[in-house]
């Protein structure tokens, strides 16, 4: 959180041709005190803020140039702290803390985005009479946070993420028409920025950085593709041949990239999706195989799960650390 009263005082004073001594005389402090305010060494006493604001005909918020912003690391730490609180505190207490943070950092849009994600990921742990009651309470609350980010943030990438998450909340609330109205009806075409970034590094002879960019892109696309396989399987239950081929290809991709070790949660989601389909198709042998694989991964996975690289993706650590919530997963 930044309070920038010093630069504001300097700008306002010089625009009006006022000396530090004149301002000091009006407020009833020493010239040295005004100098320290302007250089950021100290802040005015809170009781002096109304007089200072009135002197320059400003609101107190404008005088302070109050800008509540958090660094990526601070966002990661707060998210982790709130998530861990579910283990030791009641849902009501955690909810109160979430809402308090939202009020305090309402203009820090990356943080608001993550608080919306936190509500979506853990609304089942928050107060409510039933799962349906919780869904009806907290999913719309998260939606409002995403809308706030979409309508106010200047970062186009963040706005796009907020828009997608708003669509997700609408889908959870069974509002498909609104999802299509918001996101459109066809797969959007995009130019991957990482190719441009990596090429720029390459032209600067920074090969290591170029490789790291491509690695992080491949790791991200791999997780996205496995998630797409999981979702696509659900649409193929009535087509056993296509379902089996899609499962085979998903498994093949996972095996090539050792996805079970790289992202065990996403791999378990893929297996659960396959198990659901095989159960509906009454394919008992395949169902048993998939569930056995799932149980083996679950048993071998240490919780809480942290995102990480491996021998192939050996240069993605810095990228993971700079994600909004870092290496942690819900």
């Amino acid at each position: 959180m930044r309070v920038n009263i010093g630069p504001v005082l300097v700008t306002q004073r010089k625009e009006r041709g006022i000396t530090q001594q004149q301002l000091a005389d009006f407020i009833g402090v020493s010239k040295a005190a005004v100098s320290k305010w302007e250089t950021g060494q100290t802040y005015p006493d809170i009781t002096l803020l109304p007089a200072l604001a009135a002197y320059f005909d400003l609101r107190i918020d404008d005088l302070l140039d109050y800008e509540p912003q958090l660094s990526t690391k601070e966002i990661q730490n707060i998210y982790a702290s709130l998530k861990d609180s579910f283990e030791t505190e009641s849902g009501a207490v955690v909810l109160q803390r979430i809402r308090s943070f939202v009020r305090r950092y309402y203009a820090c849009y990356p943080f608001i985005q993550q608080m919306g994600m936190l509500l979506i990921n853990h609304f089942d742990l928050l107060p409510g009479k039933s799962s349906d009651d919780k869904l009806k309470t907290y999913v719309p609350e998260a939606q409002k946070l995403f809308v706030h980010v979409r309508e106010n943030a200047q970062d186009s990438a963040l706005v796009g993420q907020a828009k997608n998450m708003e669509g997700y909340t609408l889908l959870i609330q069974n509002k498909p028409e609104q999802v299509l109205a918001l996101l459109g009806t066809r797969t959007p075409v995009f130019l991957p920025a990482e190719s441009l970034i990596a090429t720029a590094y390459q032209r600067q002879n920074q090969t290591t950085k170029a490789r790291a960019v491509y690695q992080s892109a491949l790791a991200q696309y791999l997780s996205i593709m496995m998630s797409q396989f999981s979702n696509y399987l659900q649409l193929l239950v009535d087509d056993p041949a296509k379902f089996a081929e899609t499962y085979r290809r998903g498994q093949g991709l996972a095996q090539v990239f050792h996805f079970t070790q790289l992202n065990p949660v996403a791999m378990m989601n893929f297996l659960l999706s396959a198990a659901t389909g095989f159960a509906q198709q009454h394919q008992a042998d395949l169902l048993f195989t998939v569930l056995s694989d799932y149980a083996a991964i679950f048993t071998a996975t240490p919780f809480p799960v942290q995102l990480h690289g491996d021998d192939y993706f050996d240069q993605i650590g810095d990228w993971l650390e700079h994600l909004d919530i870092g290496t942690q997963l819900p």
Side-chain angles (χ1 to χ4, degrees):
M1 218 170 29
R2 295 193 296 270
V3 175
N4 301 313
I5 190 171
V8 173
L9 289 176
V10 172
T11 300
Q12 294 293 324
R13 185 173 57 76
K14 290 184 176 180
E15 283 181 356
R16 290 165 171 76
I18 299 167
T19 66
Q20 287 184 339
Q21 187 62 60
Q22 288 174 309
L23 178 59
D25 291 342
F26 178 83
I27 299 299
V29 298
S30 67
K31 178 184 175 182
V34 173
S35 178
K36 289 182 179 180
W37 296 346
E38 292 186 349
T39 57
Q41 297 178 58
T42 61
Y43 292 122
D45 186 273
I46 192 171
T47 60
L48 301 178
L49 295 181
L52 281 168
Y55 187 71
F56 291 116
D57 192 23
L58 295 173
R59 297 182 309 159
I60 290 180
D61 281 355
D62 294 332
L63 174 69
L64 295 175
D65 192 21
Y66 175 69
E67 188 178 352
Q69 296 298 318
L70 294 166
S71 68
T72 298
K73 193 63 179 178
E74 288 170 330
I75 293 174
Q76 292 173 3
N77 290 340
I78 293 174
Y79 187 101
S81 174
L82 290 169
K83 185 183 71 170
D84 292 344
S85 294
F86 285 112
E87 301 290 336
T88 58
E89 298 179 293
S90 69
V93 170
V94 178
L95 178 62
Q96 184 179 15
R97 291 179 62 203
I98 292 172
R99 288 173 173 169
S100 176
F101 275 118
V102 166
R103 287 192 297 271
R104 187 182 307 173
Y105 300 112
Y106 200 55
C108 182
Y109 302 117
F111 178 73
I112 295 301
Q113 173 88 343
Q114 292 309 314
M115 290 301 95
M117 296 286 288
L118 185 68
L119 289 174
I120 291 295
N121 290 331
H122 302 288
F123 71 85
D124 58 312
L125 300 177
L126 297 173
K129 296 178 180 178
S130 65
S131 295
D132 188 57
D133 178 59
K134 295 177 183 181
L135 185 151
K136 291 179 180 178
T137 300
Y138 303 115
V139 172
E141 183 172 344
Q143 180 186 346
K144 290 179 181 178
L145 297 181
F146 297 135
V147 170
H148 175 64
V149 174
R150 175 172 63 80
E151 292 181 343
N152 294 282
Q154 300 299 311
D155 184 330
S156 58
L158 184 62
V159 169
Q161 294 168 14
K163 188 175 181 180
N164 289 340
M165 288 309 303
E166 181 186 349
Y168 182 58
T169 61
L170 291 169
L171 202 59
I172 295 176
Q173 296 173 80
N174 195 28
K175 298 178 179 179
E177 295 84 2
Q178 294 185 37
V179 174
L180 296 175
L182 177 69
L183 301 179
T185 58
R186 289 182 174 84
T187 302
V189 177
F190 71 100
L191 173 65
E194 58 270 13
S195 297
L196 305 177
I197 296 170
T199 301
Y201 276 134
Q202 189 175 2
R203 291 186 181 181
Q204 292 179 335
N205 294 318
Q206 298 190 63
T207 306
T208 299
K209 289 186 176 181
R211 289 176 178 173
V213 170
Y214 276 125
Q215 275 199 22
S216 59
L218 287 170
Q220 183 170 212
Y221 290 151
L222 177 60
S223 292
I224 291 172
M225 183 168 286
M226 290 303 300
S227 177
Q228 300 286 27
F229 272 122
S230 300
N231 295 332
Y232 186 40
L233 283 172
Q234 295 303 301
L235 297 177
L236 300 174
V237 175
D238 59 352
D239 186 347
K242 192 77 168 182
F243 185 96
E245 179 62 14
T246 300
Y247 172 69
R248 186 186 69 80
R249 294 192 183 203
Q251 275 283 33
L253 181 67
Q255 290 172 5
V256 166
F257 284 97
H258 302 166
F259 196 65
T260 296
Q261 289 76 39
L262 192 67
N263 194 330
V265 172
M267 188 63 195
M268 285 189 283
N269 286 338
F270 171 73
L271 292 175
L272 284 178
S273 183
T276 301
F278 286 137
Q280 291 176 275
Q281 294 168 5
H282 305 288
Q283 299 196 51
D285 291 343
L286 289 172
L287 174 60
F288 180 80
T289 298
V290 171
L291 290 178
S292 296
D293 290 343
Y294 176 91
I297 296 173
F298 186 88
T299 303
T301 299
F303 289 89
V305 177
Q306 298 285 323
L307 292 173
H308 57 81
D310 59 15
D311 291 341
Y312 181 76
F313 293 108
D314 58 355
Q315 296 183 40
I316 67 172
D318 182 68
W319 173 71
L320 290 173
E321 288 294 336
H322 283 82
L323 295 177
D324 287 332
I325 57 172
T327 60
Q328 58 191 314
L329 284 174

